[in-house]
Amino acid sequence: MKNTIKNIAALLLIFVFSGSMANAQDWIVPASAKKKQNPYEATSKNISSGKKIYNIQCKSCHGDPTMANMLPLAPVAPTDLGAQNFLVQNDGEIFYKVNKGKGAMPAFEKTLSDEDKWMVINFLRSFDRNKQVKQQVAEIKNPEVTDVKLELKVDDADKKMLAKLSGVTNKGQRVGLQGIEMSFLVKRSFGYLDVSGEDPYTNEKGDVQIQFPKDLPGDREGQVNMLVKVTDDAFYGKLEEARVVTLGVPTDPVNPLDERAMWGTSANAPIWIIVTYVGGVIAIWSIIFLVLFQLIKLPKLAKGKD
């Protein structure tokens, strides 16, 4: 009887929890929020920016738009944000839901800037078949290819870098792959700096060229670590190439250990720390020797009393 009651209680809890999760997905958006318009045009740069933010913040749960490869959460799986039944909402509704969150969906009101949220909406809107989207990059169908290669050329004099993406067709001809977004990244102390520019898409020859920032510091010889890769690896797999290039501004790095600081070496630590440390060591050892001296005197004192 007790086991039956426990089983019924467990089923009720599951039912209530499932109902609350399902209700969490039924978001009611205020009329004022629905009137919001995206202030940023759906240019290739903005769509590309939105894609990068989406891949970092949203892809782990929602998967690739239109691919229906969302995280299989129970009882309600995340929505495919590239599906038409999601994109029938206007921009204001999507912005509100991203901002506020509900249920298993976290709120991004304080973790993402408004600009970043609108960029993500621009990216999602690029999958909307029922709405005209201003895109600078037309949809281009490349032939089916194998042996896809990424080649780099560096112009040290003009500080330019050229990437070429090509593949071999079924006729054995190597052709350039057009309209593919490339990422040009510079290795920094805490991650990568994107220097891809506004239009990092390959042309009809499979080429894309960027102008390296003329004021970006390198090491003493001006060398920087570059990583060039295909931004979206859904079609051609993971294609990237790392290379050390001499395109940065020669810079003599400052070693913080060379200055007097809390984290400095023994030769460069602040004077007051050295004095305090040495004084503390002397005081501690003085107390130890004093205690030992008193312990040595105890037998003599004992004999004197006898």
Side-chain angles (χ1 to χ4, degrees):
M1 182 67 180
K2 291 182 178 180
N3 290 335
T4 303
I5 294 173
K6 287 180 180 180
N7 291 334
I8 293 172
L11 288 172
L12 286 173
L13 285 173
I14 293 172
F15 176 77
V16 171
F17 179 73
S18 301
S20 65
M21 288 293 291
N23 290 333
Q25 307 303 320
D26 298 331
W27 293 345
I28 298 175
V29 180
S32 58
K34 293 181 181 180
K35 295 178 181 178
K36 274 193 173 184
Q37 299 291 326
N38 192 337
Y40 299 93
E41 290 188 6
T43 62
S44 61
K45 178 184 177 183
N46 290 344
I47 292 173
S48 177
S49 297
K51 182 178 182 179
K52 291 174 183 177
I53 298 166
Y54 178 92
N55 287 339
I56 295 171
Q57 301 290 345
C58 315
K59 184 176 178 178
S60 59
C61 289
H62 292 279
D64 299 291
T66 72
M67 301 295 288
N69 56 353
M70 304 83 71
L71 193 67
L73 296 177
V76 180
T79 304
D80 182 350
L81 301 186
Q84 288 302 124
N85 61 353
F86 174 81
L87 294 172
V88 294
Q89 305 173 94
N90 59 40
D91 290 351
E93 289 179 279
I94 299 174
F95 182 88
Y96 178 85
K97 292 181 178 182
V98 173
N99 221 21
K100 298 299 182 182
K102 195 170 185 180
M105 168 74 179
F108 287 94
E109 189 169 15
K110 295 182 179 179
T111 54
L112 280 180
S113 67
D114 287 353
E115 180 180 349
D116 286 348
K117 295 166 201 163
W118 288 122
M119 294 300 111
V120 171
I121 292 172
N122 273 330
F123 169 61
L124 296 177
R125 196 59 76 188
S126 68
F127 297 95
D128 191 352
R129 298 191 301 269
N130 300 324
K131 186 175 181 180
Q132 294 291 332
V133 180
K134 296 178 182 177
Q135 292 192 51
Q136 292 179 359
V137 180
E139 290 188 12
I140 300 165
K141 291 185 177 180
N142 288 302
E144 291 189 8
V145 294
T146 58
D147 189 26
V148 181
K149 289 184 178 180
L150 172 61
E151 301 172 272
L152 298 180
K153 292 182 180 180
V154 180
D155 185 347
D156 294 334
D158 294 332
K159 290 196 172 184
K160 292 181 179 180
M161 178 172 283
L162 174 72
K164 184 177 184 64
L165 190 66
S166 65
V168 178
T169 65
N170 53 12
K171 295 181 180 180
Q173 182 183 6
R174 180 165 290 279
V175 296
L177 300 174
Q178 185 179 359
I180 307 300
E181 184 185 10
M182 305 295 296
S183 292
F184 294 79
L185 309 171
V186 181
K187 176 69 175 174
R188 310 310 287 170
S189 299
F190 302 99
Y192 286 92
L193 175 66
D194 194 330
V195 295
S196 306
E198 296 185 0
D199 192 22
Y201 293 84
T202 55
N203 59 20
E204 64 279 1
K205 295 180 180 179
D207 298 338
V208 58
Q209 182 174 267
I210 65 145
Q211 176 68 59
F212 193 87
K214 296 184 178 180
D215 58 350
L216 193 66
D219 61 12
R220 290 184 177 88
E221 298 176 356
Q223 293 183 338
V224 294
N225 292 303
M226 287 287 302
L227 177 65
V228 182
K229 65 177 185 176
V230 175
T231 304
D232 190 350
D233 56 7
F235 297 103
Y236 300 114
K238 187 176 181 180
L239 285 171
E240 62 182 34
E241 182 171 340
R243 182 178 296 187
V244 178
V245 296
T246 311
L247 297 177
V249 178
T251 306
D252 192 8
V254 177
N255 187 351
L257 298 180
D258 293 339
E259 302 175 0
R260 288 197 178 276
M262 293 287 289
W263 55 82
T265 60
S266 59
N268 296 310
I271 300 299
W272 67 269
I273 287 185
I274 296 175
V275 172
T276 304
Y277 174 78
V278 173
V281 171
I282 292 174
I284 291 170
W285 279 106
S286 298
I287 293 171
I288 292 172
F289 282 122
L290 179 62
V291 171
L292 290 174
F293 180 71
Q294 295 299 328
L295 290 174
I296 292 171
K297 288 177 62 179
L298 280 177
K300 294 180 179 179
L301 293 172
K303 287 181 180 180
K305 287 184 178 181
D306 291 342

